Structures are given as C-alpha cells and as structure tokens.
Amino acid sequence: MKLIIQRDRLVQSVQDVMKAVSSRTTIPILTGIKIAATEKGVTLTGSDSDISIESSIPKEEDGDELAEIIESGAIVLQARFFSEIVKKLPTDTVVIEVQNHLQTVIRSGKSEFNLHGLDAEEYPHLPQIKEENVFRISADLLKMMIRQTVFAVSTSETRPILTGVNWKIEDRELTCIATDSHRLALRKAQIETESNESYNVVIPGKSLNELSKILDDSNDPIDIVITENQVLFKAKHLLFFSRLLEGNYPDTSRLIPTDSKTDVVVNIKEFLQAIDRAALLARDDRNNVVKFSTFENQLIEISSNTPEIGKVIEEVQAQSIDGEDLKISFSAKYMIDALKTLDGTEIKVSFTGAMRPFLIRPINDDSILQLILPVRTY
Amino acid sequence: MKEMVPKKGRVILHVDMNSFYASVEMAFDPSLKGKPLAIAGDVEERRGIIVTCSYEARKFGVKTAMPLWEAKKLCPQLIVMKPNFERYRAASIRIFEIMRQYSDLVEPVSIDEGYMDITESDEFGTPIEIARTIQKRLLEQLDLPCSIGISPNKFLAKMASDMKKPLGITILRKRDVPNVLWPLDVGQMHGVGKKTAEKLAKIGIRTIGDLANANEIQLKNLLGINGARLKERANGNDRRLVDPESVSDFKSVGNSTTLPKDISNQQVLFQVFDGLAEKVAARLKRKKVLAANISITIRYKDRKTITRSKKLRNPVSQKDEISQAAKTLFLKHWNGDPVRLLGITGTDLQEKGYAVKQLDLFSFEKEAKKEPLIHALEKLREKYGKHIIENAGAKADIDIKSKIGTDTSFNKDFLQTFTNGEKNKKQ
C-alpha cells in the first residue's frame, strides 16, 4: 500500500474513528486503526466491537485532490501512536507506505516514522447491513434529540438495559426515551421514511454520545438503518455502527402521569438560575437536594439547608400557580440537567404530589418532556 | 479553635469507676461482695474472655481480656457471670446524673468513666472537696466505688485517677510531672499501647521521662503526628477541652459476631447477616441516623480478615436493606473458605432530618402510598412542634430490651441517648 493524503483530512478522519477505539479491549488488533486504500480513496476504521466507525476520504472532492493512491492495500496501525503522529506532522501532505513485513513508513516533509503495522486481514469485518427500511433525519435534529435524552441514561450496570436510550419508531415518528429510574427524558420527532416498519430498540448511551461528538451541526441528512442487533448511522463519508442492547426496555408510558394537582408556569432562565444558586450549598452527592414550595401570589421558594455549611432561600415569581399548595424536595442536579435541555422562555411544571414523579415541559411544545422523581425526606 | 483557648487554670476531674461491671453486680447482689467475681462475654470457654473482674479476683492474677479457661485455672472458685448490660447502663446513667450536678461540662468517655471540667464549680467547694463529695455520693447512693484524678487537663486527670485504686483521689499538678510521671514505664502512659511501647523501646525510650525529653524529629519519624502529641502529654500538656457533645461524634455503627464454629455454608452465613443487620438497624434507629455506606468484615478460619464496603445510592436504616447490601458485598468478595467471624458496619451516617431517599420510577408507588400519612405527620409537626409524633422505631429511646452491641463489650450508644435526653430537658 502506498498513498499520499492531505494531512488535515487525515487528522479529521483519525479523530473520528478514534472515538470507537478503546485501549481496554480484549481483542488486541482493535487497539489499532485500519487504513485501507482502494481506487475510490482511503477509509479508516476504528472499533471497540460495540461501536465501529468508518470514515472515508475520497480521492477527490469539489475538485480538490484529497488523496492519491499509488498502490492499494491495507494496514492496521497502533491508534494511540498513529493519531498523535499525524496531528504533529510538519507539512500539509503525508505519505503512508507499507513496506516488507508490515513495516509502515509515514513521511511528511523532513519527518519520517517507521511503525510496525498489524495485518489488516486480522481486523474484524464490519457488520453487514442491508440497507432497506432507511429512515432519515437531519444531523442537527439528531444531535439535539440525543442531547435531550442521553443524559438521563443510567450509569449503573444494575439494570443494563437502562444504560441505553429506547428508540421507538411508529407511524413515521421517532420517540427517544431514557431513564435511570430517577428521572426520565422523552423526545419525539417526525422522520422521513418510505417504510412503514415499526421499531423498538435500545441504543447504548455511550454510542449516542460518541455519535453526537462526530456529527456536524448541519442539516445534512443522516440515514439510519436498524437491524436486529445493530444500528447504522450514515452521514457523508461516515458510517457509524453500534450494537443494540439486548432485552426489553420497560414500558414507561404508564409511568408518566397524565393528570396533575399543581401546575406551575415559570420563566426557565430565572428558575434554572435560582436552582443553580440553591444547589451551591448542596453540591455534594448526599445533599444535592433542594426543597421547592409554592406560596400565595404566584411565589415559588427554593431552599436548601446543609447543617454544616448553612442555608439558602431563593424566591422566584411564577407566571401562574394552579391547584394545590405543594412542598416537594428533589435533586437539584436532575432539575438542572432537565432544564438545560429545554428551549423557549417558559416551562410548565406539573406535580401530582410530593412523592410522585413530576413533569417539566415547554409551553406549547409536546415534542419534549422531562420527568423527575422527587426525594423523600425522613 | 481549641488551640486558641488559653490553657491557664482549668480544673479537670477524671472519674473512673472501679471494676465497674463487677461492682454493679455486687451492688445488685451484696452476697457477692468480697468474692472473686468475673464478668465474661460468653460463659462458654472457647470464646469466653474476662470483660472485668473484682479486686478479689485480681489478687489471683485474673485480668481483663484473659481467656476464661486461663482465669479458671488461676482461680478455680471464680464466680463467672454474663454481663447484664441493662443494669450497667442504668447505673451509668445515674453516675453521670450525679456528676452533672456539679458541672455542665461532663464528657462521658465510656460507660464507666468520664471527664468533668469543674473550673466554674467553686460554689460546690474546692476541687478536692467536690471530688470527695462525688466519690462519697457514688459509693453511698449507688454502692459503686470510683477513683478520681484532679488535674489541670484531661491527660493528667486520667493518669491521676489510675494511681490509686480502688476509691482513690489523686491530685496531679503539672509541676508534679517530673517527679511522679517521669519515672513510670512509658507503657503505663495513657495513649501508649503495647505496640507503641515496643517501638519506643527500639529508640531507647523506656520511661515517660525518656519520652518527655526525646528528640521530636525522631519521634515523628517513628510514630508520625502522634509522636509529637505523646511528647507533649509526657510533659504534662494537653489542650483538649472537656466536650459534653463528643459522645455524639459517632462515625459508624457496627456489629460483628464470632461464629460458634467455622462455617462455609452460604445459607447459614446469610442468616448470620440477617441477625447482624437487625442489630445494626436497631442501633441506627436509636441514633436516628441512616447509613450511606455499608461495609462487611469477613474473618476466615486462618484469621485472615478482610473488610469491604459499598457506597449506597440511598442511605439505609432498615434491616432488609442493610442485610441485602451486606449479602451483595459478601457474595462479591467471599472466597468460599470457612468463616470464623462476620460483621456489618454502617458508616457515612446521616441524621434522619437531613437524610433523603431518591424515589425510583419503578417503585415510587410503594412510597407514595404512605404519602397521606406523612402529610398528616408533617401537619402535626408544623402545628405542635417537631417532637409531637415520631415513628415507633425512633421512640425506642430508653426501653430497648434487645441486647445491642457486640457480645463482649458495651457500646456507647446509650451515652448519646443520655446526653440527648438532657438536652431535651433543657429545651
């Protein structure tokens, strides 16, 4: 294999596929990045066997020559070293050449590295996915949906299925749900598709986080294909495969309250800032709890009391408070996480009692919902 | 903060009950008086260890912590009794009540000893008069002997109370330190255990005087920060204040038990955990705290001991929750070998008023069912004050009948109850 390639494009591609490379893999060859040169261009692949990312660099794009293939072939290079090397190479072009016995020369300007490569034949094949039932969503919307849900997945392996985000597709609507059993995030959106298939799968939270980091904030379309145990996201020059989590996601629909006893409408920014300040005295894990109380004249009080440190009381003027008076305690962190995902100026918080989950939604927007379980005080 | 308090002129008493458990038994049953009596954790000889013994038994060479079989060999007529913790606790509470009549600054250290600061107590007489009165009242009213040390600080008071037993009163001034303390073996010093004494001997320190004049850097290298502290003490300096609240500075609640025989049957071990969890739960409830961290101790047949802990998502106080956490830890860390001792300890304790439980989406209904009740309780408390109503568990303040603590020693829980009780009275 021998090729000449634009350094910037190479760096970008290496960075993308690195997202899938883990140093703690049980399969030694997966610590490497596979580089393959064909007559179409160069593809780089990284994988930790849960996530696989393939980034391709065409020979030519918009009239610019990005890569020149002198001899096709493939090699696997240690990701840790290769990624650092390409970042620091001195000139705009890089020559990669595989010589005898997998010895690989990387040359750029007056710099020359000799790396011991690994046999590309040993590298696992990417999942074969038949591209039927494709549905399509713009990159920025996809990123938004991930951001609005993935934060709520569980980080504990006690219920592995909850470490993923539940994706349901029905009637051309995608619903993403994540819960760690203490809070739940739900986001819906219309998708483009020719197929009428319905799906109900669970994508690991980690995969979605990595995907979100790689995708550009553009409205380029992303094609999504779901199979029995894999999901594939296809962007321009990028394939992102993720394993799906096995098992049934719990049915959360019946757990989301439909009625409410107290409804509070409040400015999101004021509310968020008040919670954030109240949490200052409650930052550590154990006391990350604030108390929320409603009063007459549309007044909300958010307070926190940490005996060793002190206490804080924040007053927030609500737009409206309807229904019963309420005192409820909840994790400030969960509330801040949830509020940060919501756009708009006003939100409605709907409570059904101090020991029951409550909902946070933007006014006039059904596409997103955040649910939080309160804490019980003794 | 404490360092800033001027050290001049405090008068501290250390009241130390003489062979307390045995004395209480003798007060309870005067026919035991004058006989060699020992209290042992377990009358069964394999595990039985002398917890305390009367002075008559000591004449035969019977000592605290001696195995029962050895004591019996030394003194065949030894009367051995199981501890009656309820009796000792009741006696202890009355002792501290009497002490408290002479000063607000009473710090119980354990069931049978305490410090009191009588600097401001001159209305009751001179320090020696106060000491005599207390000793006399304890003997006449409770039939319990004690020794009292009078000194300008805690350390000297403690050393002083040790000097004359039983029924001694010893004054130890700072100026007496070179003459009285320095000739003593360093091992006799409060705060110097066997291990420390051995270490000190290696650098030629044998008496308290040697320690007082030892090289500080050398001491620090040998014993760390404690080295400097011990040197200070050996010179008669101790800035610790008498702190009536110190008993409530508890950091953990734990129970352990030596099994009657080495066991490797998981089911049986789990039953042991259930029993331990019940005890820990009872003690947590009494202290009105929850544990956010549960640790277990496993001692194997070969005495190899491991401790493993886990931080919990929600603090616990219920038997089932504690037991569950302990068993999970056990299964993770047990190597399958026969087990000699098991223990459960709750740490990272949180006061009930500030502890919270994060509700779970899939189980909140269980908690929510209690909501009307909790709501009603809150209303009552809002109207009539915090203490108007409490859960049955929290109310078990004085009347706990179950034997708590480890099987061989008493725990300090009740001292806290006592100080709390006092505090409530004052409110």
Side-chain angles (χ1 to χ4, degrees), chain A residues 163-232:
Chain A
T163 61
V165 180
N166 183 205
W167 277 35
K168 286 192 285 198
I169 295 165
E170 218 166 303
D171 298 333
R172 303 189 180 191
E173 185 181 64
L174 166 66
T175 307
C176 307
I177 299 168
T179 179
D180 60 5
S181 86
H182 301 134
R183 32 80 180 269
L184 177 145
L186 181 151
R187 172 69 206 257
K188 292 190 274 199
Q190 295 298 315
I191 47 169
E192 290 170 44
T193 177
E194 273 85 60
S195 123
N196 266 325
E197 283 287 318
S198 356
Y199 293 93
N200 188 342
V201 296
V202 185
I203 305 173
K206 182 174 177 291
S207 303
L208 293 171
N209 270 323
E210 300 301 341
L211 174 66
S212 177
K213 283 184 209 159
I214 296 175
L215 294 179
D216 291 327
D217 272 311
S218 69
N219 54 10
D220 289 350
I222 307 291
D223 283 356
I224 303 171
V225 185
I226 293 173
T227 71
E228 205 170 311
N229 51 23
Q230 291 280 336
V231 57
L232 165 62

Coordinates of all heavy atoms in Angstrom, one line a residue, chain A residues 163-232:
Chain A
T163 N -29.0 1.6 30.6 CA -27.8 2.3 30.1 C -28.0 2.8 28.7 O -27.1 3.5 28.1 CB -26.5 1.5 30.3 OG1 -26.6 0.4 29.4 CG2 -26.3 1.1 31.7
G164 N -29.1 2.4 28.1 CA -29.3 2.8 26.7 C -30.5 3.7 26.5 O -31.3 3.9 27.5
V165 N -30.7 4.2 25.3 CA -31.8 5.0 25.0 C -32.8 4.2 24.2 O -32.4 3.6 23.2 CB -31.4 6.3 24.3 CG1 -32.7 7.2 24.0 CG2 -30.4 7.1 25.1
N166 N -34.0 4.2 24.6 CA -35.1 3.5 23.9 C -35.5 4.3 22.7 O -36.0 5.4 22.8 CB -36.2 3.2 24.9 CG -37.4 2.4 24.3 OD1 -38.5 2.5 24.7 ND2 -37.1 1.5 23.3
W167 N -35.3 3.7 21.5 CA -35.8 4.3 20.3 C -37.0 3.6 19.7 O -36.9 2.4 19.5 CB -34.7 4.3 19.2 CG -33.7 5.5 19.4 CD1 -33.3 6.0 20.5 CD2 -33.1 6.2 18.3 NE1 -32.4 7.0 20.3 CE2 -32.2 7.1 18.9 CE3 -33.1 6.1 16.9 CZ2 -31.4 8.0 18.2 CZ3 -32.3 6.9 16.2 CH2 -31.5 7.9 16.8
K168 N -38.1 4.3 19.6 CA -39.3 3.7 19.1 C -39.7 4.4 17.8 O -39.8 5.6 17.8 CB -40.5 3.7 20.1 CG -40.3 2.7 21.2 CD -41.5 2.6 22.0 CE -41.7 3.8 22.9 NZ -42.7 3.5 24.0
I169 N -40.0 3.7 16.8 CA -40.4 4.3 15.5 C -41.8 3.7 15.2 O -41.9 2.5 15.1 CB -39.4 4.1 14.4 CG1 -38.1 4.8 14.7 CG2 -40.0 4.6 13.1 CD1 -36.9 4.3 13.9
E170 N -42.7 4.6 15.0 CA -44.0 4.1 14.7 C -44.7 5.3 13.9 O -44.6 6.4 14.3 CB -44.8 3.9 16.0 CG -45.7 2.7 15.9 CD -46.2 2.3 17.3 OE1 -45.3 2.0 18.2 OE2 -47.4 2.2 17.5
D171 N -45.4 5.0 12.9 CA -46.1 6.0 12.1 C -45.2 7.2 11.7 O -45.6 8.3 11.9 CB -47.4 6.4 12.8 CG -48.3 5.3 13.0 OD1 -48.3 4.3 12.2 OD2 -49.1 5.3 14.0
R172 N -44.0 6.9 11.3 CA -43.1 7.9 10.9 C -42.8 8.9 12.0 O -42.5 10.1 11.8 CB -43.6 8.7 9.7 CG -43.9 7.7 8.6 CD -44.2 8.3 7.3 NE -44.4 7.2 6.4 CZ -44.5 7.3 5.1 NH1 -44.4 8.5 4.5 NH2 -44.6 6.3 4.3
E173 N -42.9 8.4 13.2 CA -42.5 9.3 14.4 C -41.5 8.5 15.2 O -41.7 7.4 15.5 CB -43.7 9.6 15.2 CG -43.4 10.6 16.3 CD -44.6 10.9 17.2 OE1 -45.1 10.0 17.9 OE2 -45.0 12.1 17.2
L174 N -40.4 9.2 15.5 CA -39.3 8.6 16.3 C -39.5 9.1 17.8 O -39.6 10.4 18.0 CB -37.9 9.0 15.8 CG -36.8 8.7 16.7 CD1 -36.5 7.3 17.0 CD2 -35.5 9.4 16.1
T175 N -39.5 8.2 18.7 CA -39.6 8.6 20.1 C -38.4 8.1 20.8 O -38.1 6.9 20.8 CB -40.9 8.0 20.8 OG1 -42.0 8.4 20.0 CG2 -41.0 8.6 22.2
C176 N -37.6 9.0 21.5 CA -36.4 8.6 22.2 C -36.7 8.7 23.7 O -37.2 9.8 24.2 CB -35.2 9.5 21.9 SG -34.9 9.6 20.2
I177 N -36.5 7.7 24.5 CA -36.7 7.7 25.9 C -35.5 7.2 26.7 O -34.9 6.2 26.3 CB -37.9 6.8 26.3 CG1 -39.2 7.3 25.6 CG2 -38.1 6.8 27.8 CD1 -40.3 6.3 25.7
A178 N -35.1 7.9 27.7 CA -34.0 7.5 28.5 C -34.4 7.7 30.0 O -35.1 8.7 30.3 CB -32.7 8.3 28.2
T179 N -34.1 6.7 30.8 CA -34.3 6.9 32.2 C -33.3 6.1 33.0 O -32.9 5.0 32.6 CB -35.8 6.4 32.6 OG1 -35.9 6.6 34.0 CG2 -36.0 5.0 32.3
D180 N -32.9 6.6 34.1 CA -32.0 5.9 35.1 C -32.9 5.5 36.3 O -32.3 5.1 37.3 CB -30.8 6.7 35.5 CG -31.2 8.0 36.2 OD1 -32.4 8.2 36.4 OD2 -30.3 8.8 36.5
S181 N -34.2 5.6 36.1 CA -35.2 5.2 37.1 C -35.4 6.3 38.1 O -36.3 6.3 38.9 CB -34.9 3.9 37.8 OG -34.1 4.0 38.9
H182 N -34.5 7.4 38.1 CA -34.8 8.5 39.0 C -35.3 9.7 38.2 O -35.8 10.6 38.8 CB -33.5 8.9 39.7 CG -33.0 7.8 40.5 ND1 -31.6 7.4 40.5 CD2 -33.6 6.9 41.3 CE1 -31.5 6.4 41.3 NE2 -32.7 6.1 41.8
R183 N -35.0 9.7 36.9 CA -35.6 10.8 36.0 C -35.7 10.1 34.7 O -35.2 9.1 34.4 CB -34.7 12.0 36.0 CG -33.2 11.9 36.1 CD -32.4 11.5 35.1 NE -31.0 11.4 35.4 CZ -30.1 12.4 35.3 NH1 -30.5 13.6 34.9 NH2 -28.8 12.2 35.5
L184 N -36.6 10.8 33.9 CA -36.8 10.3 32.5 C -36.9 11.4 31.5 O -37.4 12.5 31.9 CB -38.1 9.5 32.5 CG -38.6 8.9 31.2 CD1 -39.3 7.5 31.5 CD2 -39.6 9.8 30.5
A185 N -36.3 11.2 30.4 CA -36.3 12.2 29.3 C -37.0 11.6 28.1 O -36.7 10.4 27.7 CB -34.9 12.6 29.0
L186 N -37.9 12.3 27.5 CA -38.6 11.8 26.3 C -38.6 12.9 25.2 O -38.9 14.1 25.5 CB -40.0 11.4 26.7 CG -40.9 10.8 25.6 CD1 -41.9 9.9 26.3 CD2 -41.6 11.9 24.8
R187 N -38.3 12.5 24.0 CA -38.3 13.4 22.9 C -38.8 12.7 21.7 O -38.5 11.6 21.4 CB -36.9 13.9 22.6 CG -36.7 14.8 21.4 CD -37.4 16.1 21.5 NE -37.8 16.6 20.2 CZ -37.1 17.6 19.6 NH1 -36.0 18.1 20.1 NH2 -37.6 18.0 18.4
K188 N -39.8 13.5 21.0 CA -40.4 12.9 19.8 C -40.0 13.8 18.6 O -39.9 15.0 18.7 CB -41.9 12.9 19.9 CG -42.4 11.9 21.0 CD -43.9 11.7 20.9 CE -44.6 12.7 21.7 NZ -46.0 12.4 22.0
A189 N -40.0 13.2 17.4 CA -39.8 14.0 16.2 C -40.3 13.2 15.0 O -40.3 11.9 15.0 CB -38.4 14.4 16.0
Q190 N -40.8 13.9 14.0 CA -41.2 13.3 12.7 C -39.9 12.9 11.9 O -38.9 13.6 12.0 CB -42.0 14.2 11.9 CG -43.3 14.6 12.5 CD -44.2 13.4 12.7 OE1 -44.3 12.6 11.8 NE2 -44.8 13.3 13.9
I191 N -40.0 11.8 11.2 CA -38.8 11.4 10.4 C -39.3 11.1 9.0 O -40.5 10.8 8.8 CB -38.1 10.1 11.0 CG1 -39.2 9.0 11.3 CG2 -37.3 10.5 12.2 CD1 -38.5 7.7 11.6
E192 N -38.3 11.2 8.1 CA -38.6 10.9 6.7 C -38.4 9.4 6.5 O -37.3 8.9 6.9 CB -37.7 11.6 5.8 CG -37.9 13.1 5.7 CD -36.8 13.7 4.9 OE1 -36.4 13.1 3.9 OE2 -36.3 14.7 5.4
T193 N -39.3 8.7 5.9 CA -39.1 7.3 5.6 C -40.1 6.8 4.5 O -41.2 7.3 4.5 CB -39.1 6.4 6.8 OG1 -38.9 5.0 6.4 CG2 -40.4 6.5 7.6
E194 N -39.6 5.9 3.8 CA -40.5 5.3 2.8 C -41.2 4.1 3.4 O -42.2 3.5 2.9 CB -39.8 4.9 1.5 CG -39.7 6.0 0.5 CD -38.5 6.9 0.8 OE1 -37.3 6.3 0.8 OE2 -38.7 8.0 1.0
S195 N -40.6 3.6 4.5 CA -41.1 2.3 5.1 C -42.1 2.6 6.2 O -42.2 3.6 6.8 CB -39.9 1.6 5.6 OG -40.1 1.2 6.9
N196 N -43.0 1.6 6.4 CA -43.9 1.7 7.5 C -43.6 0.8 8.6 O -44.4 0.5 9.5 CB -45.3 1.4 6.9 CG -46.0 2.6 6.5 OD1 -45.9 3.7 7.1 ND2 -46.8 2.5 5.5
E197 N -42.4 0.3 8.6 CA -41.9 -0.6 9.7 C -42.0 0.1 11.1 O -41.7 1.3 11.1 CB -40.5 -1.0 9.5 CG -40.3 -2.1 8.4 CD -40.7 -3.4 8.9 OE1 -40.4 -3.8 10.0 OE2 -41.4 -4.1 8.1
S198 N -42.3 -0.6 12.1 CA -42.1 0.0 13.4 C -40.9 -0.7 14.1 O -40.7 -1.9 13.8 CB -43.4 -0.2 14.3 OG -44.4 -0.7 13.7
Y199 N -40.3 0.0 14.9 CA -39.1 -0.5 15.6 C -39.2 -0.1 17.1 O -39.8 0.9 17.5 CB -37.8 0.1 15.1 CG -37.5 -0.2 13.7 CD1 -37.9 0.6 12.6 CD2 -36.7 -1.4 13.4 CE1 -37.6 0.2 11.3 CE2 -36.4 -1.7 12.1 CZ -36.9 -0.9 11.0 OH -36.5 -1.2 9.8
N200 N -38.6 -1.0 17.9 CA -38.5 -0.7 19.3 C -37.1 -1.2 19.8 O -37.0 -2.4 20.0 CB -39.6 -1.3 20.1 CG -39.6 -0.9 21.5 OD1 -38.6 -0.4 22.1 ND2 -40.8 -1.1 22.2
V201 N -36.1 -0.4 19.8 CA -34.7 -0.9 20.1 C -34.1 0.0 21.2 O -34.7 1.0 21.6 CB -33.8 -0.8 18.9 CG1 -34.4 -1.8 17.8 CG2 -33.7 0.6 18.3
V202 N -33.0 -0.5 21.7 CA -32.3 0.3 22.8 C -30.8 0.4 22.3 O -30.1 -0.5 22.1 CB -32.4 -0.5 24.1 CG1 -31.7 0.4 25.2 CG2 -33.8 -0.8 24.5
I203 N -30.5 1.7 22.2 CA -29.1 2.0 21.7 C -28.3 2.4 22.9 O -28.7 3.3 23.7 CB -29.1 3.2 20.7 CG1 -30.1 2.8 19.5 CG2 -27.8 3.5 20.1 CD1 -30.3 4.0 18.6
P204 N -27.1 1.9 23.1 CA -26.3 2.2 24.2 C -26.1 3.7 24.3 O -25.8 4.4 23.3 CB -24.9 1.5 24.0 CG -25.3 0.4 23.1 CD -26.4 0.8 22.2
G205 N -26.2 4.3 25.5 CA -26.0 5.7 25.7 C -24.6 6.2 25.2 O -24.4 7.2 24.6
K206 N -23.6 5.3 25.5 CA -22.3 5.7 25.1 C -22.1 5.9 23.6 O -21.5 6.8 23.1 CB -21.3 4.6 25.6 CG -19.9 4.8 25.3 CD -19.0 3.7 25.9 CE -17.5 4.0 25.5 NZ -17.2 3.7 24.1
S207 N -22.8 5.0 22.8 CA -22.7 5.1 21.4 C -23.3 6.4 20.9 O -22.7 7.1 20.0 CB -23.6 3.9 20.7 OG -23.1 2.7 21.2
L208 N -24.5 6.8 21.5 CA -25.1 8.0 21.0 C -24.2 9.2 21.4 O -24.1 10.2 20.6 CB -26.5 8.1 21.7 CG -27.5 7.1 21.1 CD1 -28.8 7.1 21.9 CD2 -27.8 7.3 19.7
N209 N -23.6 9.2 22.6 CA -22.7 10.2 23.0 C -21.6 10.4 21.9 O -21.2 11.5 21.6 CB -22.1 10.0 24.3 CG -23.0 10.6 25.4 OD1 -23.5 11.6 25.3 ND2 -23.1 9.8 26.6
E210 N -21.0 9.3 21.6 CA -19.9 9.4 20.6 C -20.4 9.8 19.3 O -19.7 10.7 18.6 CB -19.2 8.0 20.5 CG -18.6 7.4 21.8 CD -17.5 8.4 22.4 OE1 -17.0 9.2 21.7 OE2 -17.3 8.2 23.6
L211 N -21.5 9.3 18.8 CA -22.0 9.7 17.5 C -22.3 11.3 17.5 O -21.9 11.9 16.6 CB -23.4 9.0 17.3 CG -24.2 9.5 16.0 CD1 -23.4 9.1 14.8 CD2 -25.6 8.8 16.0
S212 N -22.8 11.7 18.6 CA -23.1 13.2 18.7 C -21.9 14.0 18.6 O -21.9 15.1 18.0 CB -23.8 13.4 20.0 OG -24.1 14.7 20.2
K213 N -20.8 13.5 19.1 CA -19.5 14.2 19.0 C -19.0 14.3 17.6 O -18.3 15.3 17.2 CB -18.4 13.6 19.9 CG -18.6 13.8 21.4 CD -17.4 13.1 22.1 CE -17.9 12.7 23.5 NZ -17.0 11.7 24.1
I214 N -19.2 13.3 16.8 CA -18.7 13.2 15.5 C -19.5 14.0 14.5 O -18.9 14.7 13.6 CB -18.6 11.8 15.0 CG1 -17.6 11.0 15.9 CG2 -18.1 11.7 13.6 CD1 -17.6 9.5 15.6
L215 N -20.8 14.0 14.7 CA -21.7 14.7 13.7 C -21.5 16.2 13.7 O -21.3 16.8 14.8 CB -23.1 14.4 13.9 CG -23.5 12.9 13.8 CD1 -25.0 12.7 14.1 CD2 -23.2 12.4 12.4
D216 N -21.6 16.8 12.5 CA -21.5 18.2 12.4 C -22.9 18.8 12.7 O -23.9 18.2 12.6 CB -21.2 18.7 11.0 CG -19.7 18.3 10.6 OD1 -18.9 18.3 11.5 OD2 -19.5 18.0 9.4
D217 N -22.8 20.1 13.2 CA -24.1 20.8 13.4 C -24.6 21.3 12.1 O -24.7 22.5 11.8 CB -23.9 22.0 14.4 CG -24.0 21.5 15.8 OD1 -25.0 20.8 16.1 OD2 -23.1 21.8 16.6
S218 N -25.0 20.5 11.2 CA -25.5 20.9 9.9 C -26.9 20.3 9.7 O -27.3 19.4 10.5 CB -24.6 20.4 8.8 OG -24.7 19.0 8.7
N219 N -27.6 20.7 8.7 CA -28.8 20.0 8.4 C -28.7 18.9 7.3 O -29.6 18.5 6.7 CB -30.0 21.0 8.1 CG -29.6 21.9 7.0 OD1 -28.6 21.7 6.3 ND2 -30.4 22.9 6.7
D220 N -27.4 18.5 7.2 CA -27.2 17.3 6.3 C -28.0 16.1 6.8 O -28.1 15.9 8.0 CB -25.7 16.9 6.3 CG -24.8 17.9 5.6 OD1 -25.4 18.8 5.0 OD2 -23.6 17.8 5.8
P221 N -28.6 15.4 5.8 CA -29.4 14.2 6.3 C -28.5 13.1 6.8 O -27.4 12.8 6.3 CB -30.1 13.8 5.0 CG -29.2 14.3 3.9 CD -28.5 15.5 4.4
I222 N -29.0 12.4 7.8 CA -28.4 11.2 8.3 C -29.3 10.0 8.0 O -30.5 10.1 8.4 CB -28.1 11.3 9.8 CG1 -27.4 12.5 10.2 CG2 -27.4 10.0 10.3 CD1 -26.0 12.6 9.8
D223 N -28.8 9.0 7.3 CA -29.6 7.8 7.1 C -29.4 6.9 8.3 O -28.3 6.7 8.7 CB -29.2 7.1 5.8 CG -29.7 7.9 4.6 OD1 -30.4 8.8 4.8 OD2 -29.3 7.5 3.5
I224 N -30.5 6.3 8.7 CA -30.5 5.4 9.8 C -31.1 4.0 9.4 O -32.2 4.0 8.8 CB -31.2 6.0 11.0 CG1 -30.6 7.3 11.4 CG2 -31.1 5.0 12.3 CD1 -31.4 8.1 12.5
V225 N -30.3 3.0 9.7 CA -30.8 1.6 9.4 C -30.8 0.8 10.7 O -29.7 0.8 11.3 CB -30.0 0.9 8.3 CG1 -30.6 -0.4 7.9 CG2 -29.8 1.8 7.1
I226 N -31.9 0.2 11.0 CA -31.9 -0.6 12.2 C -32.1 -2.1 11.8 O -32.9 -2.4 11.0 CB -33.1 -0.2 13.1 CG1 -32.8 1.2 13.7 CG2 -33.2 -1.1 14.3 CD1 -33.9 1.8 14.5
T227 N -31.2 -2.9 12.4 CA -31.4 -4.4 12.2 C -31.7 -5.0 13.5 O -31.9 -4.3 14.5 CB -30.1 -5.0 11.6 OG1 -29.1 -5.0 12.6 CG2 -29.6 -4.2 10.4
E228 N -31.6 -6.3 13.5 CA -32.0 -7.0 14.8 C -31.0 -6.6 15.9 O -31.5 -6.5 17.1 CB -31.9 -8.5 14.5 CG -32.8 -9.3 15.5 CD -32.9 -10.7 15.0 OE1 -33.2 -10.9 13.8 OE2 -32.7 -11.6 15.8
N229 N -29.7 -6.5 15.6 CA -28.8 -6.3 16.7 C -27.8 -5.1 16.5 O -26.9 -4.9 17.2 CB -28.0 -7.5 17.1 CG -27.4 -8.1 15.9 OD1 -27.2 -7.5 14.9 ND2 -27.1 -9.4 16.0
Q230 N -28.1 -4.4 15.4 CA -27.2 -3.3 15.1 C -28.0 -2.1 14.6 O -29.1 -2.2 14.1 CB -26.2 -3.7 13.9 CG -25.2 -4.7 14.2 CD -24.0 -4.1 15.0 OE1 -23.7 -2.9 14.9 NE2 -23.3 -4.9 15.7
V231 N -27.4 -0.9 14.8 CA -28.0 0.3 14.2 C -26.8 0.9 13.4 O -25.7 1.0 13.9 CB -28.6 1.2 15.2 CG1 -27.6 1.7 16.3 CG2 -29.2 2.5 14.5
L232 N -27.2 1.4 12.2 CA -26.2 2.1 11.4 C -26.6 3.5 11.1 O -27.7 3.8 10.7 CB -26.0 1.4 10.1 CG -25.2 2.1 9.0 CD1 -23.8 2.4 9.4 CD2 -25.2 1.3 7.7

